[in-house]
Amino acid sequence: MRLVVNREPVGEDQGIDYGESPVRDVFGKGNCDDVFLELATKLGWLDDLKKYSGSMAEKSVKALDAAIERSKESTEEKDATK
């Protein structure tokens, strides 16, 4: 599987095929921080990612911190409805 993250599809001339039912290639539309933070959130990797914040750009760390906060709030809301 290949994940291409960009604001618009690229690489079709290189053999990348996003198609309606992509078998191998997946397109993540948006900027890198947003797309990978969404992926890390869905996979439950935000806390693991935080360990590497010392080597991240300041803007990326802020985005990560915001994603962690949103994730905690979402978890608290789910727990409150149980």
Side-chain angles (χ1 to χ4, degrees):
M1 175 181 277
R2 297 183 288 191
L3 171 62
V4 177
V5 177
N6 203 9
R7 290 188 178 104
E8 57 190 54
V10 295
E12 292 92 346
D13 59 331
Q14 308 261 323
I16 295 177
D17 179 18
Y18 302 115
E20 288 186 33
S21 300
V23 174
R24 179 175 160 181
D25 301 318
V26 178
F27 177 61
K29 183 175 184 172
N31 72 53
C32 285
D33 282 348
D34 294 341
V35 172
F36 284 108
L37 284 173
E38 180 180 352
L39 179 61
T41 300
K42 290 180 178 184
L43 294 171
W45 293 352
L46 289 178
D47 290 333
D48 295 321
L49 192 56
K50 182 68 176 172
K51 297 173 190 173
Y52 300 97
S53 62
S55 61
M56 294 177 173
E58 184 178 338
K59 180 180 174 185
S60 297
V61 173
K62 287 180 181 179
L64 174 58
D65 290 341
I68 290 171
E69 187 61 33
R70 284 191 304 274
S71 179
K72 287 179 182 176
E73 290 171 358
S74 176
T75 301
E76 289 171 0
E77 289 174 9
K78 288 178 185 175
D79 290 344
T81 60
K82 288 183 180 179

